[in-house]
Amino acid sequence: MSTRKRGPPPPSEPPPPAKIPSTSQARNRSPRPVYFHINKIQVGEWSQDSSLIEGLKARIYGGADRRLVWELDHIEVGIRKIEIVLDNVCSMQFSFGSNNSTGVMEIELEKPPQFFLETSSDGNKKVDDQPIDDFTKNTSASLYRHHKLFFGNDVLTKIRKTIVGFKRPEWDNVLNRPFPSKPELQFQKDEEHNQGEDDADAAANVDLNAAVQDGV
């Protein structure tokens, strides 16, 4: 009988290395937004410039929570927000100024956005968004489809690269649509409401003219 000692068993094969997601994949799964400083916002009759009193910031969520948020951080009022879900965006375009001047990001909406005021509780540990009414001049953001945001050219370039880098068909569809996709500058329901008022005024004028002709 052989007394030769057996050596240790061969080591088992190591598990395959974990697959490291690409930067775009990690960004798509991240709930954290990407922030960009806004120089100016313009919607219909309302415009707001960034200042020491009220800073402007854009939040872009590229993962499952696909939305755009314009933040207005006033030193007295607090942080007010205009929030747009991506499904509500008809089209989007970028216009770059010459000689490193201001560039413009334009958004066309299907329906009015939502408005929030950021509030905090529990010693500023918990932050909530409280729904508020449209705070833009003459409720412009509830009437007009187009949002124009002004950035430095370098910032606008980063924004476009960020959105393209999401590699999501939902974002690609928005970027590939013609801008504007619709001729109307205002939301349809408001136009129908205004048209109804015009029709009522026209009918009233007809009745008044008939009454005058009848000598009433």
Side-chain angles (χ1 to χ4, degrees):
M1 179 181 294
S2 174
T3 59
R4 185 177 179 181
K5 294 183 179 180
R6 295 182 179 180
S12 58
E13 293 185 4
K19 187 176 181 181
I20 300 175
S22 65
T23 303
S24 60
Q25 289 174 331
R27 189 189 299 120
N28 286 341
R29 290 201 292 264
S30 174
R32 296 183 178 181
V34 185
Y35 289 87
F36 298 97
H37 173 74
I38 305 172
N39 293 345
K40 179 181 178 179
I41 301 177
Q42 182 177 337
V43 183
E45 302 174 29
W46 173 73
S47 65
Q48 180 67 52
D49 292 282
S50 182
S51 66
L52 295 177
I53 297 177
E54 186 159 31
L56 306 179
K57 189 183 298 182
R59 285 192 197 187
I60 302 178
Y61 293 79
D65 186 17
R66 294 179 291 273
R67 56 195 169 107
L68 304 166
V69 179
W70 320 142
E71 284 191 359
L72 295 85
D73 188 0
H74 195 283
I75 59 175
E76 295 180 355
V77 179
I79 300 178
R80 295 174 296 174
K81 301 177 181 179
I82 300 175
E83 184 169 306
I84 304 164
V85 295
L86 185 61
D87 290 343
N88 191 25
V89 179
C90 300
S91 62
M92 177 187 304
Q93 78 170 1
F94 300 87
S95 304
F96 294 89
S98 59
N99 299 323
N100 200 30
S101 61
T102 301
V104 181
M105 175 183 182
E106 294 185 79
I107 308 290
E108 179 191 19
L109 303 185
E110 180 68 33
K111 297 180 295 184
Q114 294 179 297
F115 307 90
F116 297 95
L117 175 66
E118 186 174 290
T119 60
S120 59
S121 58
D122 298 333
N124 294 328
K125 293 181 180 180
K126 184 179 180 181
V127 176
D128 295 314
D129 285 338
Q130 176 184 347
I132 58 175
D133 294 331
D134 186 348
F135 52 82
T136 62
K137 181 180 179 181
N138 295 333
T139 64
S140 287
S142 297
L143 298 175
Y144 291 90
R145 294 180 180 275
H146 295 178
H147 289 215
K148 296 181 69 174
L149 289 87
F150 298 81
F151 303 89
N153 267 348
D154 55 340
V155 176
L156 189 61
T157 299
K158 292 178 182 178
I159 292 174
R160 195 179 192 286
K161 286 183 178 179
T162 297
I163 293 177
V164 172
F166 289 146
K167 299 186 182 301
R168 291 291 188 97
E170 298 87 353
W171 290 97
D172 293 340
N173 291 339
V174 170
L175 291 174
N176 292 331
R177 293 182 193 133
F179 184 95
S181 64
K182 299 182 180 182
E184 298 85 6
L185 296 179
Q186 294 189 348
F187 296 110
Q188 188 64 36
K189 66 176 184 179
D190 296 294
E191 291 180 346
E192 292 175 352
H193 175 72
N194 294 337
Q195 184 63 46
E197 290 184 342
D198 293 340
D199 293 343
D201 292 340
N205 289 334
V206 170
D207 293 341
L208 179 60
N209 292 335
V212 171
Q213 292 176 0
D214 292 340
V216 177

